[in-house]
Amino acid sequence: MLSYFFTDKNGKRCEFKNVLTVEISADVDVPADELVLTVPYDRKYRNVDMLEAYDGKSLVFVGQADEIVSIVRTDGAIVRLSARSLAGRLLDNEAEPVTYINPAAKFIFERHLKPFGIVGYDGDEHPFMGTIKIEKGMTEWQVLEKFCSGRYGKGPRITGAGFALMCGTYGGAEPIVFGRNGVGYTSLREYIKPCKVISQIKLRTEEYGGYKSVISNKCVADRIKRVRYVNAFLDNNAVKTADRMIENGNKQSFEITVECPKCLCGIVGRRAVIDDSLIGKREGLVVKSIKYSLKKNGESTTVVLGKENGDVADELHN
């Protein structure tokens, strides 16, 4: 069972003693995790500033309160507190327009992450060779994204505890196993969705030409026909855009959902394996999202798994 603490606007830190319900959500495609917590009404909760959640001694969530709602009903009164993890600060703050030449991870951390409470990072000290131009209106999160995609070819993630994962390796090399000799679950659902797949992207490369260039999805069978069009004449990154559209469709076409009767925070982005006596073994998976809940009947976590790197060829050909 998790424990929960708050710090008020005067810096006083206290533990929540009577938590009614909790939800913690995290998604590999959403920069900030979210915590929603309800407790019996007390005026002191109107002054909450920071929220923390611990699994034993391990911090799994820290964030500033975004919303505090007092609710009075016929059966009593409660307070609902909502917060995003520290990545929310990077989304909320605009970065100073500037151009960097050959920046390294430490420089990006010191300039764009540390001032907002991010406690550390995993990037190496080999610089990004080239320039990174920060345009007016870019957020601090977009700066981090731009650096990580250019330097490591991966999107970043800020953990719920406030640590920056720049290299795209979330949770180490060892996969988490669900099923036999691993994490138990009460239910499993496997979804195969061919309707999400894009089979071809057709590109227009000349101002007055047709859509003659074709990028095909190598992961799908010929029986799947779903075409999109991209005007490459107006988009300098049209090939990357097309590849991303195909990859996103592949990712959305396959997922496995498992319901686990325990807390599984901090595993988003981690490699995973299903080992089930009925459906067999599923490898090459990654944790796409989790939703932890604490209610009257206990705690549980819904875990959504997808294929690593969007590779769904076997599922779509079967």
Side-chain angles (χ1 to χ4, degrees):
M1 195 77 72
L2 300 182
S3 55
Y4 306 91
F5 296 82
F6 70 91
T7 303
D8 66 19
K9 296 172 184 177
N10 297 315
K12 183 180 179 181
R13 185 171 181 269
C14 301
E15 183 175 3
F16 287 105
K17 293 296 186 181
N18 187 12
V19 175
L20 301 176
T21 65
V22 178
E23 285 188 353
I24 297 176
S25 302
D27 191 304
V28 73
D29 294 322
V30 178
D33 297 358
E34 184 179 31
L35 168 69
V36 180
L37 176 149
T38 64
V39 289
Y41 179 81
D42 192 309
R43 284 184 58 86
K44 66 184 178 183
Y45 296 141
R46 299 172 72 247
N47 292 316
V48 166
D49 182 30
M50 300 294 293
L51 294 170
E52 299 170 309
Y54 286 83
D55 187 358
K57 294 184 178 180
S58 298
L59 179 67
V60 296
F61 180 93
V62 58
Q64 195 161 28
D66 284 325
E67 188 177 68
I68 302 168
V69 183
S70 299
I71 303 171
V72 179
R73 303 181 300 203
T74 56
D75 58 347
I78 62 171
V79 178
R80 184 178 70 229
L81 302 108
S82 305
R84 289 170 298 158
S85 59
L86 297 180
R89 292 177 172 177
L90 304 184
L91 294 167
D92 293 346
N93 282 274
E94 187 176 331
E96 179 184 356
V98 67
T99 298
Y100 297 138
I101 300 175
N102 302 339
K106 183 178 181 181
F107 177 84
I108 297 296
F109 171 75
E110 294 285 344
R111 183 78 181 255
H112 296 279
L113 305 184
K114 191 175 180 180
F116 300 100
I118 306 304
V119 296
Y121 67 101
D122 68 345
D124 58 37
E125 293 315 310
H126 297 290
F128 171 84
M129 301 307 295
T131 61
I132 292 181
K133 186 175 183 180
I134 302 173
E135 305 281 358
K136 172 70 175 71
M138 285 180 63
T139 65
E140 299 287 3
W141 172 259
Q142 288 173 316
V143 174
L144 177 62
E145 267 191 321
K146 194 167 188 176
F147 171 78
C148 292
S149 62
R151 173 64 187 88
Y152 304 110
K154 300 282 187 178
R157 176 159 178 80
I158 307 295
T159 69
F163 188 87
L165 300 169
M166 295 186 178
C167 302
T169 52
Y170 312 140
E174 286 299 316
I176 181 171
V177 178
F178 293 90
R180 290 178 294 192
N181 302 316
V183 178
Y185 48 81
T186 55
S187 71
L188 178 151
R189 294 186 180 187
E190 181 182 55
Y191 299 87
I192 299 173
K193 306 175 186 178
C195 64
K196 298 293 185 180
V197 174
I198 296 174
S199 59
Q200 285 185 340
I201 304 287
K202 294 188 176 182
L203 304 177
R204 177 184 175 185
T205 57
E206 299 176 359
E207 185 175 4
Y208 301 107
Y211 290 82
K212 298 177 182 178
S213 298
V214 176
I215 297 178
S216 298
N217 186 347
K218 298 177 182 179
C219 291
V220 303
D222 292 338
R223 59 185 170 76
I224 296 178
K225 301 291 185 183
R226 196 164 288 104
V227 180
R228 298 290 184 271
Y229 293 84
V230 172
N231 191 340
F233 183 77
L234 299 176
D235 184 354
N236 293 330
N237 296 310
V239 174
K240 288 185 179 179
T241 299
D243 288 340
R244 187 164 56 249
M245 290 170 65
I246 288 173
E247 182 182 356
N248 287 341
N250 288 349
K251 286 180 178 179
Q252 294 171 19
S253 70
F254 175 81
E255 67 180 32
I256 294 175
T257 300
V258 290
E259 300 284 346
C260 303
K262 62 184 297 185
C263 175
L264 290 171
C265 294
I267 64 170
V268 168
R270 189 169 167 183
R271 295 169 59 237
V273 172
I274 294 286
D275 190 0
D276 187 272
S277 58
L278 290 177
I279 70 169
K281 204 165 189 179
R282 298 285 191 274
E283 298 182 288
L285 303 174
V286 64
V287 179
K288 293 169 59 178
S289 68
I290 66 100
K291 186 171 185 178
Y292 166 78
S293 299
L294 173 67
K295 298 178 181 178
K296 288 182 179 180
N297 56 351
E299 58 180 356
S300 64
T301 306
T302 301
V303 182
V304 179
L305 307 171
K307 280 285 189 177
E308 238 180 327
N309 302 318
D311 182 10
V312 292
D314 291 342
E315 284 73 21
L316 295 175
H317 276 292
N318 286 340

